[in-house]
Amino acid sequence: MIMDKPRISIAGCGFVGLVSAAAFASRGFNVIATTINKKEANLINSGQSPFYENGLDEILKKAHELKNLRVTADNYEAVQNTDITFISVGTPMKEDKSIDLSYIDNVSKQLGKALKDKESYHLIVDRSTILPGTSRNLIGVNLVENSGKSIGKDFGLCMQPEFLAEGKSVENTFYPDRIIIGEYDKKSGDTLENTYQLFYKEYFSQNECPIHRISLESAELVKYANNCFLATKVSFANEFANFAELIPNVDIKQVMEGIGLDYRINSRFLGAGAGFGGSCFSKDVNAIKNWASQNNYDSKILKAVLEINDDQAIHIVNIAEKLLKDLTKKKITILGLSFKAGTSDMREAPSIRVIKELIKRNVGNIVGYDPKAINEAKEYLKDSIVYVNSTKDALKDSECVFILTEWEEFKNLSPEFFIKHMKTPNVIDGRKIYDYIDFNKKLNFKTIGLK
Ligand code: UDX
């Protein structure tokens, strides 16, 4: 089936929603995105992004020049004037660590009401991460009840998980390694696949990119399995880093590189360190683990993945305590607050866990520096630490420094720099960015996965 470029609407202007909207619009698709945040809508309508993401400004600019992207608060209008609606609203973690589906519930009811007055066939595609069964039993039911129409006949339903990593989401959107389409019926899947045949025409002609057509529920579970597997790799590397600390002369990096050469394993996401953070890993591992347990299945693997990750913070503080004996009256520095380099995002950042642990052990004098995340860090850490604007200021009078984010500007620091700027140069490398032979020779140096 060859068709003209369908008109696209996208509910939600967060990370995934806005990158997708700008990507479609920059390639000549007509896009209406929706958000209830007026300030956000005004910014995007003027061609600017409300948050920083590598490469996003350029495609937003292109979309703005082509006059292809418009943002409104009105999902009804968006549905009437488009052919496909993608749902990209948040599915955050609740206080009890289960998933909050209220935005999905709300938006699917609104879309259902809009479908009621739609004369032509319309496709609804969920891109938000949702528990298995949610597309059919919550989104599908809301759409049918509020439109009075039937899925399959009057409108279609798909679930297409996204695999965008922060800092790389534009690249991941334009050059995917695969496209997973969960479909209610063949027509729904065909409509979405054809849209991507148009969007990725050139890319598909030159690259291998499987399009995997499966059930809605399998697609929902693919997303969880994907993130849980990556999180498991990180915790696995951290567990072996702990084994490595039991015996001299083992370097965990060499061990992980060794197994990464096995084509069945590969070396990605085997970096031992301060543990994983970010908006997805912890949220998704907890959500699917809780869901399984509500269905009377207790996940042993995922429980261990989370425990190992939480323990990394305690472990790093133990390493420092062993080195300095008493941390309480000393000035301690944290270099790197964001959950990974290249982002100001503080969600579930290892720095939060390490600082919490230090405070629990009565360390009162903590100074933090991050090249990008100071403002966000203040929201999360409040006045529990002192914030400074440079590495030098952070190290002044300090007796121990923890490196918790692998920023380039930290990678370039030499042992001499720490010796010059600290009161006592004790360095704990929580991201394994320094050459331990060089550092170990010149100052008190400890890192993960090395006795
Ligand atoms: C992740 C997934 O990669 C992405 O596909 C999904 O859609 C959203 O979640 P993101 O949270 O942006 O993306 O970050 P990612 O680069 O995957 O890293 C997650 C965490 O794992 C970071 O805290 C990172 O520092 C940590 N990590 C990663 C390690 O500790 N070791 C590694 O080897 C790799």
Side-chain angles (χ1 to χ4, degrees), residues 276-307:
F276 58 78
S279 65
C280 290
F281 279 9
S282 189
K283 167 177 94 81
D284 293 348
V285 175
N286 273 297
I288 199 75
K289 178 176 150 286
N290 282 359
W291 172 82
S293 117
Q294 276 160 16
N295 286 285
N296 300 317
Y297 182 84
D298 285 321
S299 167
K300 295 184 181 70
I301 290 183
L302 298 184
K303 186 166 171 267
V305 166
L306 292 169
E307 273 176 18

Side-chain angles (χ1 to χ4, degrees), residues 202-220:
E202 224 167 279
Y203 180 64
F204 284 173
S205 68
Q206 289 158 19
N207 298 276
E208 189 64 36
C209 178
I211 298 180
H212 200 48
R213 304 257 302 255
I214 54 181
S215 71
L216 292 170
E217 288 76 7
S218 289
E220 290 162 335

Side-chain angles (χ1 to χ4, degrees), residues 89-103:
V89 296
T91 51
M93 185 158 72
K94 288 201 267 193
E95 211 132 282
D96 67 358
K97 304 204 164 171
S98 65
I99 192 171
D100 179 356
L101 289 171
S102 58
Y103 299 107

Side-chain angles (χ1 to χ4, degrees), residues 57-348:
D57 286 349
E58 287 85 337
I59 53 169
L60 260 183
K61 194 170 158 242
K62 179 108 191 271
H64 194 60
E65 280 163 11
L66 293 171
K67 296 192 171 44
N68 269 344
L69 174 61
R70 178 164 65 84
V71 185
T72 156
D74 189 352
N75 277 316
Y76 182 90
E77 186 244 330
V79 170
Q80 301 311 318
N81 292 302
T82 57
D83 307 300
I84 301 181
T85 301
F86 290 93
I87 300 176
S88 286
V89 296
T91 51
M93 185 158 72
K94 288 201 267 193
E95 211 132 282
D96 67 358
K97 304 204 164 171
S98 65
I99 192 171
D100 179 356
L101 289 171
S102 58
Y103 299 107
I104 293 281
D105 187 32
N106 212 350
V107 84
S108 51
K109 282 178 179 154
Q110 288 177 25
L111 297 179
K113 283 179 190 146
L115 286 176
K116 191 174 180 183
D117 298 331
K118 185 89 201 271
E119 279 172 13
S120 54
Y121 180 83
H122 196 93
L123 176 67
I124 304 285
V125 183
D126 175 73
R127 305 283 333 256
S128 304
T129 302
I130 47 176
L131 293 169
T134 309
S135 297
R136 198 180 300 270
N137 303 324
L138 181 67
I139 299 177
V141 167
N142 280 344
L143 293 173
V144 169
E145 277 179 1
N146 287 278
S147 66
K149 294 187 169 176
S150 354
I151 319 182
K153 186 169 142 277
D154 307 309
F155 66 91
L157 180 61
C158 285
M159 194 281 155
Q160 187 207 344
E162 54 79 19
F163 306 104
L164 311 184
E166 280 184 43
K168 285 195 169 161
S169 61
V170 173
E171 185 188 324
N172 295 156
T173 300
F174 285 119
Y175 313 106
D177 48 9
R178 78 229 122 133
I179 291 173
I180 306 289
I181 296 180
E183 59 192 35
Y184 179 88
D185 62 350
K186 187 171 178 306
K187 185 174 178 188
S188 303
D190 283 347
T191 309
L192 188 56
E193 179 168 349
N194 278 307
T195 304
Y196 286 124
Q197 293 293 355
L198 293 169
F199 182 79
Y200 288 116
K201 201 168 170 211
E202 224 167 279
Y203 180 64
F204 284 173
S205 68
Q206 289 158 19
N207 298 276
E208 189 64 36
C209 178
I211 298 180
H212 200 48
R213 304 257 302 255
I214 54 181
S215 71
L216 292 170
E217 288 76 7
S218 289
E220 290 162 335
L221 202 52
V222 164
K223 173 61 195 253
Y224 283 103
N226 212 93
N227 272 352
C228 289
F229 190 73
L230 293 174
T232 303
K233 282 186 96 173
V234 174
S235 278
F236 180 86
N238 283 328
E239 176 133 292
F240 267 75
N242 293 336
F243 293 170
E245 288 172 30
L246 301 176
I247 178 162
N249 304 321
V250 182
D251 178 354
I252 188 63
K253 261 192 182 168
Q254 293 173 352
V255 177
M256 290 300 122
E257 275 160 20
I259 67 164
L261 290 170
D262 185 327
Y263 76 96
R264 295 168 300 181
I265 298 176
N266 97 41
S267 59
R268 296 178 195 103
F269 282 78
L270 288 176
F276 58 78
S279 65
C280 290
F281 279 9
S282 189
K283 167 177 94 81
D284 293 348
V285 175
N286 273 297
I288 199 75
K289 178 176 150 286
N290 282 359
W291 172 82
S293 117
Q294 276 160 16
N295 286 285
N296 300 317
Y297 182 84
D298 285 321
S299 167
K300 295 184 181 70
I301 290 183
L302 298 184
K303 186 166 171 267
V305 166
L306 292 169
E307 273 176 18
I308 291 168
N309 200 50
D310 284 344
D311 284 353
Q312 278 307 94
I314 298 168
H315 183 61
I316 290 176
V317 176
N318 283 346
I319 291 177
E321 215 164 47
K322 219 165 145 191
L323 188 66
L324 277 90
K325 308 288 177 276
D326 181 18
L327 294 171
T328 51
K329 296 199 175 61
K330 302 192 163 81
K331 180 174 171 182
I332 308 289
T333 303
I334 308 289
L335 288 184
L337 299 166
S338 64
F339 86 93
K340 66 175 186 181
T343 176
S344 60
D345 200 336
M346 282 292 296
R347 284 176 288 179
E348 305 295 323

